[in-house]
Structure formats: C-alpha cells, structure tokens
Amino acid sequence: MKENNCIFCKIVAGEIPSNTIYEDDEFKVILDASPASRGHSLILPKEHYADIYEIDEEAAGRAMKLAKKLAIRMTEALSCDGLNILQNNHEVAGQTVFHFHMHLIPRYKDAENTDILRWEKETFTAEEMSEIRDLLR
Ligand code: 5GP
Ligand code: ZN
C-alpha cells in the first residue's frame, strides 16, 4: 500500500529516481543519497510499513534474509572490511524517513569518517541491571 507523501513509497514506485542495486517483488535496495560510507545502501520493503512496530514478522524476517545475502555480495564487490546493519525506529532513535528500512553500511579499515554508530556509554548499578533484566524477560 502506497502512503501519500512518503518519499520511499515514491522511490519504490519509480516516481523519484534512485540508484537501485537490487529489486524483487517485495524489496527495492537503493544507495543512500547521503551515505555514511562508500556503498551505504537501504533495503526498502515495497509495502509501506512505518517501522519495526508495524512491519509483519514474516516480512521483517525476509528483510533480514536479504540483508544477509547483500552483506556478502557488497563485501565482495566493494572489498570492504566489515559492515553495519542498522534500523532506526521513531524520531528519538534517529528515524527521519517513516517507511521501514534497513541500512547496510560498509566499513573500511582506513576510512576517514570514523564517526559512524558511536555512542557514549551509560552505567547502571547491579541492582538497576537486575531490575531492567526482570522488566524485559
Ligand atoms: P533514517 O534516518 O530514517 O534511518 O534513514 C533515512 C535515510 O534515507 C538517510 O540516511 C538519508 O540519507 C536517506 N534518504 C533520505 N531521502 C532520500 C532520498 O530521496 N533518496 C535516497 N536514496 N536516500 C534518501
Ligand atoms: Zn512509504
């Protein structure tokens, strides 16, 4: 289902051009227009799901399966040294386009841009960690 004013729905529909590296019935994979590294790509389901909360489990599974396949293909083609898979949900988590997507970010040993996916570490007491564990399990 196409969502009005969704930039990724427009890319999927071919209304906005993109550098497409892979396409099948369910997914389109494009180069990110503002890449963090050479080859930074985005897996877009053709169906509009806003985020991980909305996408159905099977489609999410197939997206990860495709990520696995592309990770191998991209690493061979680009001779990168590693690769991050990233998926943001909601503005607070850095999501800027509200159509589910997975980032494939090739990483290079000698890259000048090292400021990718870094965060300051927080600390919690052992008691807090136990509370968090109990809350989540
Ligand atoms: P998010 O921050 O939502 O996880 O990621 C959105 C990504 O989409 C960003 O990395 C951004 O550069 C990319 N992006 C936004 N608009 C376009 C576009 O029109 N074309 C392409 N190829 N990428 C886009
Ligand atoms: Zn969309």
Side-chain angles (χ1 to χ4, degrees):
M1 190 74 75
K2 193 173 155 226
E3 186 101 340
N4 282 339
N5 294 321
C6 171
I7 196 156
F8 285 173
C9 279
K10 287 180 180 160
I11 286 175
V12 163
E15 291 165 17
I16 292 177
S18 62
N19 287 302
T20 302
I21 64 162
Y22 174 90
E23 187 164 7
D24 63 24
D25 289 347
E26 192 175 14
F27 299 101
K28 190 162 185 164
V29 185
I30 62 170
L31 293 184
D32 194 297
S34 305
S37 71
R38 183 170 178 266
H40 180 171
S41 302
L42 303 170
I43 297 179
L44 315 179
K46 292 187 171 179
E47 187 82 22
H48 179 93
Y49 308 100
D51 49 39
I52 193 74
Y53 306 108
E54 240 181 50
I55 192 170
D56 68 76
E57 241 177 66
E58 287 70 28
R62 289 190 292 272
M64 182 50 96
K65 216 168 156 182
L66 179 56
K68 152 84 184 167
K69 209 157 75 175
L70 290 173
I72 293 167
R73 190 200 278 192
M74 288 168 70
T75 301
E76 277 172 12
L78 297 166
S79 299
C80 58
D81 302 298
L83 181 143
N84 292 109
I85 296 174
L86 172 69
Q87 199 276 309
N88 299 325
N89 301 284
H90 290 180
E91 206 173 333
V92 70
Q95 187 176 11
T96 58
V97 179
F98 298 91
H99 175 128
F100 178 96
H101 54 280
M102 287 169 78
H103 294 258
L104 298 170
I105 308 176
R107 301 297 295 268
Y108 303 90
K109 275 183 193 147
D110 300 329
E112 281 176 28
N113 179 13
T114 53
D115 203 18
I116 300 173
L117 300 180
R118 289 212 211 219
W119 56 83
E120 281 177 38
K121 292 180 178 58
E122 289 198 36
T123 48
F124 297 91
T125 63
E127 195 183 25
E128 286 170 327
M129 291 296 263
S130 304
E131 278 173 19
I132 297 163
R133 180 203 59 214
D134 291 345
L135 195 65
L136 292 177
R137 76 172 168 195

